[in-house]
Amino acid sequence: MTRILKQTSIMVASFFMLFSITASAVELPDFTELVEMSSPAVVNISTEQTSDKNEKRGGKLSPEAEELNEFFRHFFGQKPFGGQQQPSPKQRQRNSLGSGFIVSEDGYVLTNNHVIDGADVIHVRLNDRREYIATLVGTDPRTDLALLKIEATDLPTVNMGDSDELKAGQWVLAIGSPFGFDYTVTAGIVSALGRNLPSDNYVPFIQTDVAINPGNSGGPLFNLEGEVIGINSQIYTRSGGFMGVSFAIPSNLVMSVVDQLKSDGKVSRAWLGVIIQDINNDLAESFGLDRPAGALVSRVLPDSPAEKSGLRAGDIILEFGSEVIEHSAELPYRVGGMKAGDKVKTLVYRDGRKKELTLILESRPDDPQLFTQTQQEQNRLGMSVANLSKEEAIKLKIDNGVVITQIIGGNAARNGLQQGDVITMLNSKDVDNVDTFSKIIANLPSNRSVPMRVIRDSYPMFIPFKITE
């Protein structure tokens, strides 16, 4: 009897183990049909570039070194290989750089801008090994997108999906040519949505754990329905290889850019003209907010749409149009998605109360000098500042000054300044607001200390402030 019970127990245990394994297998997706259906529309992209361009960047390199250079340039902003400048006759060197995919039967192809940047000739190779020389229709460096055109008809195409429908945890799949290995398939899940990277203010990236490597750039990211919901663009790594954090450009943003590239060859964006920062707990408390939320306006650029519409430094943008702004990084791509002339109802928090403004947007300048100057000023000082709120002024019993909203590093850190410090005087001149502060800063001598009056924790003090170039 005992033996029978033991055998029965083993059979029951085996059954449940088999059931569990079978159930797990059923839950895992089968990508084979998706890959067979979608691969024909994925392409390999390679470029030709004259060798003298390579030499100007530091000498002629081997194809392997050039491939690694492209990887480090895009993912790290630097190149590990140098090389001495060597005189040599001009010749074209061909490098396999990335992937792309066909979006229309008449030959429109999408890829990353960094894949074809600086190319003299762009080659597009299809799944059936047909090869074409592509024409560059247009690029948008701000979103790292490029639209190409090849002279062909009846081409296989991908189906574009709605990236707004994505949710964290969904399965996704990438097809590309990492390290030149054509039509490599990798899969994973959506790790997060709306990720913002420091160098890409206009892209709310899709973060995935799909294995992406050099050569995957510009390739499609599919959902389980076989729809393209993103373009693989970047990875985060400390080792130089894949570490489980990849970023893709959402398909809805991609298609809005494609429409403009097709019609105009470039992308025009709306412009607001503000410098913004995120709200932390301390700032939220100092402004009287219930919790950290919104985009704090640290500066309004002169003669900008923001200034003309009545936006002020110290305003906190809580809603832009119909969208709630939880983090400051959400605002740039919301603005960038609008058109010049659009009137946008905006809810701001000012002087302890909510106020509705109507912002009239304008076209973003090709090279907004004022914005560049502001960035240079922030870099020179190592900090950003904003006008005092009414509550802060009353609390400190002062009428003028600017509050340090962010310490970037550099001179501000070296001189011992801290976030939340209020600067009321600099170089024996009163600091009334951000504009007067900027004018004083512009005339400060380099490498010489000047007095700065700072209020920290309600206690005023003078410190020596030196700008070291």
Side-chain angles (χ1 to χ4, degrees):
M1 185 69 178
T2 303
R3 187 175 181 182
I4 294 173
L5 288 174
K6 185 180 292 186
Q7 288 177 340
T8 304
S9 299
I10 292 172
M11 291 175 63
V12 170
S14 300
F15 171 81
F16 279 109
M17 183 180 295
L18 181 62
F19 178 82
S20 177
I21 293 172
T22 304
S24 298
V26 170
E27 290 174 4
L28 292 174
D30 182 355
F31 298 110
T32 53
E33 186 176 343
L34 191 163
V35 173
E36 291 173 359
M37 177 183 67
S38 303
S39 290
V42 180
V43 301
N44 173 275
I45 295 178
S46 59
T47 64
E48 288 184 19
Q49 202 167 25
T50 53
S51 60
D52 64 325
K53 290 185 179 180
N54 292 329
E55 289 159 10
K56 287 177 183 178
R57 294 198 303 264
K60 185 177 178 181
L61 304 175
S62 68
E64 292 80 8
E66 283 289 357
E67 184 176 20
L68 282 173
N69 272 350
E70 169 60 21
F71 173 56
F72 275 78
R73 182 194 70 77
H74 187 60
F75 295 141
F76 298 101
Q78 60 184 348
K79 292 185 177 181
F81 299 104
Q84 299 299 317
Q85 184 166 343
Q86 303 170 359
S88 61
K90 292 182 180 180
Q91 58 182 1
R92 293 189 185 277
Q93 181 175 334
R94 184 165 174 175
N95 296 306
S96 179
L97 295 179
S99 307
F101 53 96
I102 305 169
V103 293
S104 68
E105 293 182 351
D106 58 347
Y108 282 100
V109 177
L110 263 174
T111 187
N112 283 145
N113 176 63
H114 78 266
V115 169
I116 53 84
D117 187 30
D120 297 313
V121 181
I122 303 170
H123 296 265
V124 175
R125 188 172 73 250
L126 275 58
N127 179 270
D128 59 10
R129 290 185 287 184
R130 282 184 292 170
E131 190 168 311
Y132 299 88
I133 293 179
T135 301
L136 181 60
V137 177
T139 65
D140 182 35
R142 292 188 181 278
T143 54
D144 193 23
L145 293 172
L147 182 65
L148 312 177
K149 179 71 166 63
I150 59 176
E151 295 304 319
T153 56
D154 298 324
L155 293 171
T157 62
V158 298
N159 295 319
M160 299 301 295
D162 184 357
S163 55
D164 288 344
E165 296 296 319
L166 272 180
K167 294 181 180 179
Q170 283 185 277
W171 282 97
V172 283
L173 175 142
I175 303 177
S177 303
F179 303 109
F181 295 107
D182 290 351
Y183 300 97
T184 297
V185 180
T186 53
I189 63 168
V190 175
S191 303
L193 298 169
R195 289 295 196 208
N196 295 97
L197 306 181
S199 59
D200 297 273
N201 291 331
Y202 287 94
V203 181
F205 283 101
I206 302 165
Q207 180 187 329
T208 76
D209 66 353
V210 178
I212 300 298
N213 285 291
N216 275 114
S217 289
L221 184 71
F222 295 95
N223 61 18
L224 288 183
E225 284 70 46
E227 299 169 328
V228 175
I229 43 78
I231 295 184
N232 298 306
S233 178
Q234 300 189 33
I235 66 171
Y236 175 83
T237 178
R238 290 179 176 174
S239 66
F242 173 70
M243 292 185 67
V245 182
S246 308
F247 299 98
I249 306 165
S251 59
N252 289 0
L253 174 60
V254 169
M255 294 315 295
S256 68
V257 169
V258 167
D259 291 340
Q260 291 194 59
L261 291 179
K262 274 187 177 181
S263 59
D264 304 322
K266 63 178 183 179
V267 177
S268 299
R269 287 187 173 83
W271 182 55
L272 185 55
V274 293
I275 307 299
I276 57 174
Q277 68 172 90
D278 224 2
I279 303 282
N280 58 24
N281 276 317
D282 292 336
L283 282 172
E285 183 181 350
S286 68
F287 280 99
L289 285 173
D290 295 334
R291 65 181 184 88
L296 173 60
V297 178
S298 59
R299 186 175 181 186
V300 176
L301 301 185
D303 200 34
S304 65
E307 184 182 64
K308 296 173 186 176
S309 300
L311 205 60
R312 302 178 188 172
D315 285 348
I316 299 172
I317 299 175
L318 301 175
E319 294 180 15
F320 183 77
S322 59
E323 302 291 338
V324 174
I325 303 298
E326 284 289 336
H327 302 280
S328 62
E330 297 171 5
L331 184 63
Y333 66 80
R334 300 290 183 200
V335 175
M338 311 293 279
K339 296 179 181 178
D342 283 350
K343 297 180 180 180
V344 186
K345 289 185 178 181
T346 304
L347 183 67
V348 303
Y349 186 83
R350 176 188 295 173
D351 297 333
R353 293 190 298 272
K354 293 181 180 179
K355 181 180 179 66
E356 189 174 273
L357 301 174
T358 300
L359 306 181
I360 304 175
L361 305 178
E362 298 177 8
S363 295
R364 181 181 177 88
D366 291 334
D367 183 18
Q369 186 178 4
L370 287 172
F371 179 79
T372 303
Q373 289 175 344
T374 302
Q375 291 296 100
Q376 290 173 345
E377 177 184 296
Q378 287 182 338
N379 292 337
R380 186 176 186 231
L381 296 179
M383 64 181 174
S384 56
V385 299
N387 289 331
L388 279 176
S389 68
K390 187 175 181 180
E391 289 76 10
E392 288 174 314
I394 293 173
K395 179 180 177 181
L396 297 174
K397 298 180 181 179
I398 57 176
D399 298 322
N400 64 293
V402 294
V403 60
I404 298 177
T405 56
Q406 184 179 15
I407 297 293
I408 302 170
N411 287 304
R414 279 194 294 269
N415 286 276
L417 292 170
Q418 300 176 12
Q419 183 175 311
D421 286 351
V422 176
I423 303 170
T424 61
M425 185 180 291
L426 179 59
N427 201 19
S428 302
K429 296 178 181 177
D430 289 333
V431 176
D432 297 319
N433 49 42
V434 170
D435 289 334
T436 60
F437 180 72
S438 298
K439 291 175 183 176
I440 296 171
I441 286 293
N443 296 314
L444 280 185
S446 298
N447 302 314
R448 183 167 68 85
S449 294
V450 297
M452 173 186 281
R453 185 175 185 266
V454 173
I455 299 178
R456 179 179 298 167
D457 297 328
S458 300
Y459 181 79
M461 60 182 172
F462 277 93
I463 65 170
F465 185 82
K466 180 195 290 187
I467 293 182
T468 304
E469 298 294 354

